[in-house]
Structure formats: C-alpha cells, structure tokens
Amino acid sequence: MLYRFLALSGFLLFAGTYAFATADSAAIDGKAFVKHIQVLASDEFEGRKPGTVGEEKTVQYLKSEFQKMGLKPGNGKSYFQDVPMVTIASRPAGPLVLKGQNGTVSLTNLTDFVATTPHVQDQVKITDSELVFVGYGIVAPEYNWNDYAGLDVKGKTVVVMVNDPGLIDSTLFKGNTMTYYGRWTYKYEEAARQGAAGVLIVHESKAASYGWSVIRSSFSKSKLYLQTADGNRSKAVMEGWITLDAAKNLFKLSGVSPELFREAGTRGFKAVPLGITTSLVITNQITKSTSRNVLALLPGTDRRNEYIIYSSHWDHLGKGEAIKGDSIYNGASDNASGTAALLELAETFVKLKKKPSRSILFLAVTAEEQGLLGSEYYATHPVFPLNKTVANINMDAFHPVGRTKDVVIVGRGQSDLEDYAAAAASKQGRTIRGDFNPSAGSYFRSDHFNFAKVGVPALYLKTGVNSVKNGEAWGRAQLEEYNLNRYHAPSDEYSSSWDLSGILEDMQLLFDVGYRLSNESTFPGWKPGSEFKAVREKGPAKK
C-alpha cells in the first residue's frame, strides 16, 4: 500500500494506517476503529435492535472492550444501567369524528389523522372533548410568548402548529433556526402541563421538515416509552397529528378563517375555541421489557467528582423489510461509527501519560432510534450528579467522505462548547459552520438533547461537506446520497472503500475538546438566548 503523509497542525495523519499523534503521545488507532465498526455492523449483530439477540451481543462486546482497557464499571460495580421500557401498539377504534353546529366531519386514521396514547392501559377514551386552536402551543417567557395565557384547557383537545413563529417572522424566536419550542415533543409536553386531554399537531411539510408519509409510517407501528411509576398518566391521553387539509376542513366546520394559521405567528395572538367536540377510543397492546445502557469510567485525579460524558447510541433498527434481498439494517454509519469512536476515545484517554483531572464517563446508550430513550433515562436517573456534570459530547453517524475543511456544529449558537470546538478545529486548519437546514431542528434529534434538557451543556458535531480533495459540491452530494439511499436502510454497511481520514480528524477534535475540559476548573455555560440556559442556572444542574 502507498502511504500518504499529510501534515496537520499539532499532529500527523497517516492516511494508510489512520493514526493521529497527540501532544502527549497518545494516538487514535484507526485499525482498532475499523475493527469495532466491522464487528458492531456485522450481520452477526443483527442490526443491534434493543430486546433482541443483537442487543445482548452488542452490550457484552462493549463491556468486554471497556474491561480490556482497564476502565472501571460506570454504575457502581456494573457496566450496565437497566432501562425499563414499555412498547405500546395503539389503534384508534374508528375515525376521529368532529362535531359542530354546522355539521360533522369524520377523519380517517393514517390518511387524515394519526393518534396514539402513551398511557399504559388497555384502552383510553376521549369523549366530547372541546377543541381549541392554541397557535404554536408555546410558553416561552424569554421570548415574551404565551399561547396559553388566560386559557383553561383541562379536559380539552388542543390543536397546535408545528415549528415556531420564527419560521415565518425572522424577528421572532431565533428566526429560521428552530428552537425546542418548535419540536413536536415540546408540543405534547406543554399541552400535558396545561392539563389538555388531547393534542393534535397540524402537519405542514416545510414546517415539519418531512412529509406526511413519515408521520403515517411512524404511527402505523408500535411506540416505545420509558416505564414510569404513573404509567405515563402525566402525559396527555391522546397524542396525534392531522393533515393540513384536515385542519382546513376543521376550520371550515368551525366557521373560522384559515388566516388563523398566519395570525398564530404574530405577537399577542389569542387562542380560539373552535366550537367543535371530538371523541375517540384507542386500544393498546402492551409489552414491557428492559434494555441496557453501557457505562465505563476513567476516574480523574484531583477533580474526580466532576464528570465529562462522551456518549453514543449503540442501537439500530434490527431486522426489517428486505430490500434487494437484505433484511438486516446494520447501521454501520448510524451508529456503529459513533460507538466505535466512543471506544477509540476511551482507549486514547486510558493511554494518556498525564491523566485528566476530571473523571470521564463513556456512555453507550440504548433506544436512540426509538425516541432517545436510553439517554433520557440516564438524564432523569443520573449515576453521577448533574450539578457535577461538566458537559456532554455526543457522537452520532459519522460519514466516511475523507478530510474536510469544515465541521458542522448542530444547533450552533447554544453553548460555550462551540467555542472549544472552534479552537480545536482551528488547530487543524478547519472552520466550523452551522446546520444546513436549521429549521429542521436537528439539535433535538440525538442523545445530547436529553442532557441539554436538564441543563448540561451538550455538543453534537457532524461531518463537514467541504472535501479537501473534491470540494463542497461533491461533499454535499455524498451526504444527500447517504440520506436518500442508505439512511435507515440495509445498505448502511461498512465498506473497505471508506475513507476514514476525516472521521479520525473529527475524533481528534472531540478528544481535544474533552481533554481541555477535563483539566479545567470552570464549567462551560449556555449562550444568551438558549432555551436551556435557565435550566442550568436554576438547578439542579447548576454548579
């Protein structure tokens, strides 16, 4: 093999052997990285779906690798944290019937509406529940916005819009960068806090960043939730979506103007009772199970009671519909690559001559593909105190496109960790950039988000697109090809043709960020305007 030697600021990249030399002689070993991906993404691991043989093989492999490195169990005497989950297959018993003074409209399941219930019981009912249009369904004091002001929605069904007002008025919220207030998960959470019995989100492809087919596909399957003491009764009884056409028909039946959609994005908008009632029966099939997070700890020296968490999700989709004769969804990029990186970074820290002052927790979480459940469980049942957790650095789906001149910070503008990443990128002669489609809310779609929700600054980088060798247009085309043809498909498999040099450079950057944090005494914070800043400042994650 011919070896290319590329000089980079602060270290050398040996493109044939994939090794990085760090300032203190620790090195990221590309050979081991490849081996980890090949094992985790092999057919033997059956797509790593929680609750399958693939899970058992995966978590045992991770435990064994951490043990070989000499890392301590991260949960007392165990490398595992049990994550109790419940699978609910919800089926609406008939159409969603809307009744008003001007008549009745019936909406067809999956075509016009979808609905499920998170309540762990065999059957739930919504009976003659009044519908109220509450605009975007947002309560955001820092933006002087409250769609529920003066409103009592207890027992009622709220109709809300997806995304936030910044999508249509750049002077509001963060403009076309979606805040968490725009995510569908927030809409459900806020409606439940307000006491609503049901929530119906109005779907619109641009605002949601995906078509109705995605909603339909998701709601046609069972859903996975964390088990809770109250059987999820703190959530709304019914959570669902309706198509934009169905919402327009609803407004027509109510006698209100579709101009309400536009008016909902103006400051001072007041909720509108629709004079419509609805009823629905939902039946459930319920299955309880337990999955596992995998945790390994490198204790710090003189600040060992403060923690930096590197995370990745080990799970993928398991076996499914065969495509071109292949039914195993191996998930090589998503997320064998991130999990392999977690192992590589762990070994790099272990080999350091100067051990970090703070402790490092390497956390491989379950059920990301089912709704970020493993990270949610850790964030709400932390092994180590959140007020002593310095930061989370998350790795999810690296792309093997070679070295790039840039690196993408997902949700740019959130925390001080971005400044650390920018400094590390500068050492490599690279620049940082934000999301290509900030209105899609990608910051809320991987495991770092659950740490952000509890106030812990969280960093999530994605592979850049401005290829050193082939330019930006080529890089964007590679990303688009992956999203169209291999994302969540059996074809997401490891190939010996992968150019890993860029991934290893990304890993070096993330190592530099964590190592710098591990030897500081200060805590990074949230930037002004972040919706998570207040959470950190008021506790429990406050230093």
Side-chain angles (χ1 to χ4, degrees), residues 26-29 33 36 62 65-72 79 295-299 310-311 338-352 355-356 360-364 395 507 510-511:
I28 294 174
D29 183 355
F33 178 64
H36 294 317
L62 295 174
E65 292 300 311
F66 286 138
Q67 282 180 319
K68 284 191 282 187
M69 295 175 199
L71 290 170
K72 296 183 178 297
Y79 287 93
L295 308 82
L297 183 70
L298 177 64
Y310 280 95
S311 63
T339 307
L342 186 74
L343 292 171
E344 283 296 327
L345 288 170
E347 189 161 11
T348 303
F349 273 97
V350 168
K351 290 179 178 178
L352 288 170
K355 301 302 180 186
I360 313 290
L361 180 67
F362 300 96
L363 174 63
M395 295 168 287
M507 289 163 57
L510 295 176
F511 169 82

Side-chain angles (χ1 to χ4, degrees), residues 214-234:
V214 175
I215 302 293
R216 177 187 177 114
S217 175
S218 174
F219 277 76
S220 66
K221 303 180 180 70
S222 59
K223 290 184 175 293
L224 200 59
Y225 302 88
L226 294 177
Q227 291 185 36
T228 62
D230 71 347
N232 290 332
R233 285 174 176 78
S234 61

Side-chain angles (χ1 to χ4, degrees), residues 274-312:
L274 296 175
I276 304 291
T277 62
T278 191
S279 301
L280 188 68
V281 175
I282 300 175
T283 59
N284 288 331
Q285 290 183 337
I286 298 167
T287 306
K288 293 185 178 181
S289 62
T290 300
S291 188
R292 284 168 288 182
N293 291 333
V294 187
L295 308 82
L297 183 70
L298 177 64
T301 54
D302 55 339
R303 299 182 73 89
R304 64 173 50 209
N305 292 325
E306 297 173 354
Y307 305 88
I308 295 156
I309 299 177
Y310 280 95
S311 63
S312 68

Side-chain angles (χ1 to χ4, degrees), residues 95-100 103-107 131 200 242 246-247 249-251 253 276-279:
L96 183 70
V97 179
L98 309 174
K99 297 181 179 179
T104 299
V105 171
S106 292
L107 303 182
L131 268 62
L200 293 171
I242 57 175
N249 288 334
L250 168 63
F251 280 14
L253 179 65
I276 304 291
T277 62
T278 191
S279 301

Side-chain angles (χ1 to χ4, degrees), residues 425-446:
S426 179
K427 286 169 53 180
Q428 300 174 336
R430 304 166 77 195
T431 59
I432 62 171
R433 66 195 306 170
D435 300 349
F436 302 120
N437 182 17
S439 65
S442 296
Y443 189 76
F444 317 118
R445 297 185 181 186
S446 192

Side-chain angles (χ1 to χ4, degrees), residues 44-227:
E44 180 185 352
F45 279 54
E46 299 183 358
R48 306 187 307 281
K49 186 174 183 178
T52 67
V53 171
E55 166 169 359
E56 186 63 25
K57 290 182 177 181
T58 301
V59 299
Q60 292 300 334
Y61 178 79
L62 295 174
K63 174 186 174 182
S64 174
E65 292 300 311
F66 286 138
Q67 282 180 319
K68 284 191 282 187
M69 295 175 199
L71 290 170
K72 296 183 178 297
N75 187 16
K77 295 182 179 180
S78 177
Y79 287 93
F80 300 131
Q81 180 186 41
D82 286 348
V83 181
M85 299 188 292
V86 57
T87 302
I88 303 178
S90 292
R91 295 292 179 268
L96 183 70
V97 179
L98 309 174
K99 297 181 179 179
Q101 289 185 348
N102 298 324
T104 299
V105 171
S106 292
L107 303 182
T108 303
N109 183 37
L110 298 181
T111 301
D112 305 311
F113 85 101
V114 292
T116 188
T117 179
H119 288 209
V120 186
Q121 57 191 87
D122 294 336
Q123 187 182 88
V124 299
K125 295 180 180 180
I126 295 282
T127 304
D128 295 330
S129 178
E130 298 177 30
L131 268 62
V132 183
F133 178 64
V134 293
Y136 285 94
I138 292 172
V139 178
E142 68 271 35
Y143 294 112
N144 191 28
W145 197 280
N146 187 352
D147 286 320
Y148 288 95
L151 193 63
D152 181 2
V153 295
K154 290 181 175 61
K156 299 177 183 179
T157 294
V158 296
V159 179
V160 301
M161 295 169 64
V162 73
N163 216 304
D164 63 46
L167 184 67
I168 59 174
D169 184 345
S170 62
T171 67
L172 298 174
F173 288 69
K174 291 184 178 179
N176 72 342
T177 297
M178 184 195 289
T179 64
Y180 181 52
Y181 299 114
R183 276 291 276 164
W184 58 268
T185 48
Y186 169 81
K187 312 294 184 178
Y188 292 155
E189 292 165 359
E190 188 58 51
R193 283 191 287 268
Q194 298 291 332
V199 193
L200 293 171
I201 301 174
V202 178
H203 174 267
E204 196 275 321
S205 293
K206 180 181 178 181
S209 80
Y210 39 78
W212 180 256
S213 62
V214 175
I215 302 293
R216 177 187 177 114
S217 175
S218 174
F219 277 76
S220 66
K221 303 180 180 70
S222 59
K223 290 184 175 293
L224 200 59
Y225 302 88
L226 294 177
Q227 291 185 36

